[in-house]
Amino acid sequence: MSTSDKSTPSSRNRRNLSWALGVGAAAMAAIALVLMFLLTQATNNRDLYEQNYARLVVVNIVVASLLLMAILWIGWRLLSRLRLGKFGSRLLVKLAAIFALVGFLPGMLIYVVSYQFVSRSIESWFDVKVEGALDAGLNLGRTTLDTLSNELSAKTRVAAEQLTSEAGNSVTLERLREQLAASDVVLWSATGQVIASAGDSRFSLRPERPTQAQFRQARSQRATTQIDGLEEGSTAGGAKMRSLAVVGVSSIGLLAEQRFLQVIQVLPPSLVANALAVQEAYKEYQERALARSGLRKMYIGTLTLSLFLSVFGAVLLAVLLGNQIVRPLLVLADGVAQVAAGDLRPKAALQTRDELGGLTRSFADMTQQLSDARSQVQRSMEQVDASRANLQTILDNLTAGVIVLDAHNHIISSNPGATRVLRTPLAAFEGKSLQTVPGLEAFAKGVAEQFQVFLGERTSHAVDHWQHSFELAYESHGVIVNAQQRGPGVADTISIIARGAQLPQAQQLLVFDDISEVVSAQRAQAWGEVARRLAHEIKNPLTPIQLSAERMEMKLHSKLSEPDGALLSKSVKTIVDQVDAMKRLVNEFRDYARLPSADLKPLDLNVLIADVLQLYEPEASEVPVRSALAPDCPKILGDAQQLRQVIHNLLQNAQDATLASMQSSAQQDGNAEVRISTQYNPDTRRVRMIVRDSGTGFAPHILQRAFEPYVTTKARGTGLGLAVVKKIADEHGARIDLSNRYATVVESSAAGMESTGDNTKKMVLGAQVVLSFSVV
């Protein structure tokens, strides 16, 4: 996904800056062109040059200063970006330096050449030879005009001397005009009145009259000449020579009025034009010679301004082009930095049609594809994590143990079930060989052998797993050993069924479970079948044996002597007692094998216990039974007849264990008693029945198998009491736990104590059985 360049404030700022720079460059270029035009016009127009010279100098200085400040500002910005380490600043500096050198070096070369050219050209304009030639031309024109003026003056004086005062008529003047090739001939009186004229002036009502100074000069010099029309701004056709001479006076009239003859002759136009041109050139030359220093400064200032313009234009071009080049790179750099930081949100892309703009769009598309791919990967990872969490939850809650091994039997991972089955914290041995776990050497060796056989037969027999059973013995001090090596300290035997399979990457999966309870259940089922058959096979001949013995005593007792009769009675009594014992054994076998299903009904456990306790009054038993029944116990679902049997069995076992402890200690303990109590837990909604004795407790190997048939600590017991209790508890869905009760005392060598590994000992206070029932 790409966005327009207008979508971000930074891009708008860059666009505004470029626009401002463009406008500034255009304004500077316009000002420079105007100044150069004014300079050009000023150098060609002397009046304009003189009027605007100071202003042009000031404007040149201002524009040059502005350009210099702009260049310095651009340079400072570039250096600031470089010091801040902004991306693209080095490239901008390089581009600015390159373009500045491209503009400055040729500009400087042209500036130096132009400076020398202008300086020498201006100096060449005012060369001594040129000035001498202009002086010579000007003198030549003046000499020519003076010669013509002198000739006209002489001719006029001669004509005036020949002209008498009586001959001053128009005809005579016309003839004189033609002789002198004059344009006008005028005869003036001493008072300035026109006496007669010939030529163009005769048509003028008021011809131009000579001045009094000219009249006085003519009287003193007899003739005078004046040139008109050679002033500045005159035309070549308007230049004339005016000659004024005194007319001779006749001797007859001494008092006659003095007259003056004025001859006007038009100068040749070419001569006048040349004279004016030389005069104008000489004047302009002198004026420029006086202002050549200012003119040089003006041209040099123009060249300097042009140099500044070229440098500024080069730097400005570098900045603009650099921005155009660096802007896509900045967009890419920012996008790459965001991608490197893990931000795969849609990136900005330039909408230009050049390759860099296409590169930014391709990068934006690539980022979008990466974002989509990461989203898909994240979803996949979430699914994998969920599956892994589910698998881990399943593994953690499996009763079976699971161990993953590498090709060298090193533990990679294990679940809590493995620790629970093997009774060893396997998590502490991860990364280590299974054979290094204390007590599991034989187990690890057997597993390795099974995997070795499995891998050898896998290809030939196409098997995908192996299965094998192991037996481990758990000693009282917590070490697991091989069952074949069990000694007198072994407390329990664990039956394990293990299954192995091959995993990818040469890993091995080991799954195993503790089937001790299954084996125990199978053993109980087998013993039940044995009990049923024994009860059937043994019970039938017991009654005839008892009847036959009693009949023999009755028939033979009177016929025998007293000693023999006593022996017979004793033998018969022995036979009858043993038959009764065998009947009881057979009845127990029958009860265990044929225990009916429980008829569960709501009943009050406290009432049932109180009813049973009537048979255990203190005066009727050697070991008293105390009760502590919680009054808040709700009703439970149970079979009253079977639960009554459970209570009887537990109380009798507790009394037997307490009595045996009292007899073994050879003293009467006033605290020896059996206690039965009930408790109700509202959180779990279960009612607990607890039976405690004051005996010596159970040995560890008996404690683990106490509920199996024919496991007993009594010398003449059958071991079916707790087995019947366990079976009835299972029928009721109740949980049954058997444990010893301890008290910690200071270390002593007294009997009935177990070491805790420090300076204290645990003293056995007795055993307790806890049954937990669900409430209605």
Side-chain angles (χ1 to χ4, degrees):
M1 179 179 178
S2 60
T3 58
S4 176
D5 188 37
K6 299 179 180 179
S7 61
T8 58
S10 59
S11 61
R12 290 196 295 269
N13 293 334
R14 288 193 297 267
R15 189 179 66 253
N16 295 334
L17 178 60
S18 301
W19 182 83
L21 290 175
V23 172
M28 291 298 179
I31 293 173
L33 291 176
V34 171
L35 289 177
M36 293 177 68
F37 175 76
L38 292 177
L39 287 172
T40 304
Q41 294 297 320
T43 54
N44 293 328
N45 191 332
R46 182 174 56 84
D47 294 335
L48 182 62
Y49 173 72
E50 292 177 351
Q51 294 175 4
N52 298 319
Y53 174 75
R55 297 176 182 175
L56 289 175
V57 172
V58 172
V59 173
N60 279 339
I61 294 175
V62 171
V63 172
S65 300
L66 292 177
L67 292 179
L68 181 60
M69 287 189 294
I71 293 174
L72 293 177
W73 179 75
I74 292 175
W76 179 80
R77 285 289 303 273
L78 292 177
L79 293 178
S80 298
R81 288 175 58 91
L82 183 61
R83 284 196 302 268
L84 293 177
K86 291 186 177 180
F87 180 82
S89 57
R90 293 181 180 274
L91 181 59
L92 280 176
V93 171
K94 289 182 179 179
L95 289 175
I98 291 173
F99 281 96
L101 289 176
V102 169
F104 179 75
L105 292 180
M108 195 66 187
L109 179 61
I110 296 174
Y111 176 78
V112 173
V113 173
S114 300
Y115 179 84
Q116 296 295 329
F117 176 77
V118 169
S119 298
R120 296 188 180 185
S121 298
I122 292 176
E123 291 297 332
S124 65
W125 293 348
F126 305 102
D127 191 76
V128 177
K129 294 181 179 180
V130 175
E131 186 176 0
L134 289 176
D135 287 339
L138 185 60
N139 292 330
L140 178 61
R142 289 177 180 176
T143 302
T144 301
L145 291 176
D146 289 343
T147 301
L148 293 176
S149 177
N150 292 332
E151 290 179 355
L152 183 60
S153 177
K155 291 178 179 180
T156 301
R157 187 169 56 251
V158 172
E161 290 178 351
Q162 294 176 0
L163 186 63
T164 60
S165 59
E166 292 85 1
N169 52 32
S170 298
V171 178
T172 304
L173 294 179
E174 182 66 29
R175 186 174 63 252
L176 183 61
R177 186 185 70 81
E178 291 178 357
Q179 292 177 355
L180 297 177
S183 61
D184 287 305
V185 175
V186 182
L187 184 63
W188 296 92
S189 65
T191 59
Q193 297 296 324
V194 177
I195 298 175
S197 63
D200 296 335
S201 60
R202 65 180 178 177
F203 301 107
S204 178
L205 296 178
R206 297 184 63 182
E208 184 177 356
R209 185 180 63 178
T211 62
Q212 292 298 324
Q214 290 177 346
F215 282 125
R216 287 193 299 271
Q217 188 176 3
R219 289 191 190 98
S220 61
Q221 298 179 0
R222 302 301 298 175
T224 181
T225 304
Q226 177 183 340
I227 300 176
D228 296 333
L230 293 180
E231 298 82 8
E232 184 178 359
S234 301
T235 60
K240 299 177 180 179
M241 289 189 299
R242 299 177 184 272
S243 178
L244 186 64
V246 179
V247 179
V249 181
S250 63
S251 56
I252 299 174
L254 296 175
L255 299 175
E257 183 180 13
Q258 192 176 19
R259 297 179 180 180
F260 296 89
L261 178 62
Q262 182 180 26
V263 178
I264 302 173
Q265 189 178 24
V266 178
L267 292 173
S270 59
L271 178 62
V272 174
N274 291 332
L276 290 175
V278 172
Q279 183 179 356
E280 183 66 25
Y282 184 78
K283 181 180 179 182
E284 184 176 354
Y285 178 81
Q286 293 296 329
E287 290 177 352
R288 292 192 177 182
L290 294 175
R292 60 182 176 181
S293 177
L295 186 62
R296 184 187 298 108
K297 293 179 181 179
M298 182 57 65
Y299 276 107
I300 292 175
T302 304
L303 290 175
T304 305
L305 179 62
S306 301
L307 178 63
F308 274 111
L309 282 174
S310 63
V311 174
F312 175 74
V315 175
L316 182 62
L317 183 62
V319 174
L320 294 178
L321 293 180
N323 284 330
Q324 293 296 326
I325 296 174
V326 173
R327 184 172 60 179
L329 298 180
L330 290 175
V331 172
L332 287 176
D334 184 50
V336 169
Q338 293 179 5
V339 171
D343 184 5
L344 296 180
R345 291 177 297 179
K347 299 297 180 287
L350 300 180
Q351 300 303 318
T352 57
R353 296 185 178 180
D354 54 7
E355 289 78 4
L356 291 176
L359 182 61
T360 59
R361 291 191 293 273
S362 299
F363 180 76
D365 295 338
M366 181 194 71
T367 306
Q368 183 62 40
Q369 294 174 1
L370 287 176
S371 178
D372 296 339
R374 187 172 73 172
S375 300
Q376 185 175 0
V377 170
Q378 287 178 349
R379 289 193 295 270
S380 301
M381 290 299 296
E382 289 175 358
Q383 294 176 357
V384 170
D385 291 339
S387 301
R388 183 180 300 170
N390 293 336
L391 178 60
Q392 189 64 40
T393 302
I394 293 173
L395 290 176
D396 292 344
N397 290 276
L398 281 178
T399 57
V402 179
I403 300 177
V404 178
L405 304 172
D406 62 7
H408 303 287
N409 286 338
H410 289 83
I411 301 174
I412 298 177
S413 63
S414 62
N415 72 330
T419 300
R420 183 171 54 254
V421 172
L422 298 179
R423 305 177 187 179
T424 301
L426 295 178
F429 295 93
E430 289 187 0
K432 299 180 180 180
S433 175
L434 184 62
Q435 294 181 353
T436 62
V437 180
L440 295 183
E441 295 84 357
F443 176 70
K445 182 179 180 181
V447 170
E449 292 176 353
Q450 292 297 323
F451 270 113
Q452 186 175 2
V453 174
F454 164 71
L455 294 176
E457 297 178 352
R458 182 179 180 184
T459 55
S460 59
H461 296 80
V463 294
D464 58 353
H465 70 279
W466 61 264
Q467 184 169 319
H468 189 74
S469 60
F470 298 90
E471 286 192 1
L472 302 179
Y474 182 74
E475 294 184 351
S476 58
H477 51 79
V479 178
I480 299 177
V481 298
N482 195 339
Q484 286 76 15
Q485 300 174 354
R486 59 188 299 177
V490 172
D492 190 16
T493 299
I494 303 175
S495 297
I496 293 178
I497 183 71
R499 182 171 181 168
Q502 188 73 13
L503 293 177
Q505 299 179 355
Q507 294 181 353
Q508 299 172 349
L509 176 65
L510 178 63
V511 181
F512 51 90
D513 200 356
D514 184 2
I515 59 173
S516 301
E517 294 184 0
V518 177
V519 172
S520 177
Q522 292 176 350
R523 188 181 296 115
Q525 184 178 3
W527 276 112
E529 181 66 19
V530 171
R532 185 182 66 80
R533 291 183 180 183
L534 286 176
H536 177 74
E537 297 293 337
I538 297 176
K539 185 178 180 180
N540 291 333
L542 291 180
T543 301
I545 291 173
Q546 182 179 2
L547 292 177
S548 297
E550 291 177 349
R551 183 174 300 175
M552 287 177 61
E553 179 185 10
M554 183 180 64
K555 293 292 185 180
L556 298 176
H557 189 274
S558 58
K559 298 179 178 180
L560 297 176
S561 60
E562 184 176 354
D564 292 335
L567 178 61
L568 177 62
S569 298
K570 183 178 180 182
S571 298
V572 170
K573 184 177 183 301
T574 301
I575 293 173
V576 172
D577 292 340
Q578 293 300 322
V579 168
D580 289 336
M582 292 185 69
K583 283 184 178 180
R584 288 196 301 271
L585 178 61
V586 170
N587 289 334
E588 289 181 358
F589 284 163
R590 182 197 60 193
D591 292 340
Y592 178 76
R594 297 182 179 181
L595 190 66
S597 299
D599 184 13
L600 302 180
K601 295 180 181 179
L603 60 87
D604 191 336
L605 185 60
N606 289 341
V607 173
L608 181 61
I609 294 173
D611 187 22
V612 173
L613 290 179
Q614 293 179 2
L615 302 176
Y616 294 89
E617 296 295 336
E619 61 275 5
S621 60
E622 299 181 35
V623 179
V625 178
R626 311 295 182 187
S627 63
L629 306 179
D632 58 344
C633 291
K635 291 184 178 182
I636 64 171
L637 286 176
D639 188 324
Q641 186 64 29
Q642 292 186 2
L643 291 180
R644 187 184 300 273
Q645 183 178 357
V646 166
I647 297 172
H648 274 299
N649 286 348
L650 292 179
L651 291 178
Q652 289 176 2
N653 286 342
Q655 284 183 329
D656 292 342
T658 304
L659 183 60
S661 176
M662 293 170 60
Q663 292 176 352
S664 64
S665 60
Q667 59 180 358
Q668 296 292 328
D669 188 357
N671 296 326
E673 64 178 7
V674 174
R675 178 175 291 271
I676 183 171
S677 60
T678 57
Q679 297 176 354
Y680 172 61
N681 189 344
D683 296 331
T684 59
R685 293 184 57 79
R686 299 183 73 86
V687 174
R688 300 174 66 194
M689 182 181 70
I690 306 169
V691 178
R692 294 176 179 175
D693 61 38
S694 300
T696 57
F698 291 94
H701 66 284
I702 298 297
L703 192 62
Q704 298 295 330
R705 303 177 57 190
F707 295 110
E708 293 183 8
Y710 314 112
V711 176
T712 181
T713 58
K714 299 178 182 179
R716 302 181 62 181
T718 61
L720 293 176
L722 289 179
V724 171
V725 170
K726 178 68 167 60
K727 193 170 184 180
I728 294 175
D730 292 340
E731 289 289 336
H732 284 73
R735 176 179 176 180
I736 183 169
D737 295 309
L738 177 62
S739 62
N740 290 330
R741 297 186 299 117
Y742 297 97
T744 303
V745 296
V746 179
E747 185 176 0
S748 174
S749 59
M753 295 188 181
E754 295 182 3
S755 174
T756 61
D758 52 13
N759 59 349
T760 60
K761 293 289 185 177
K762 292 192 301 181
M763 183 176 67
V764 179
L765 298 179
Q768 68 175 12
V769 179
V770 180
L771 279 87
S772 177
F773 300 92
S774 298
V775 301
V776 177

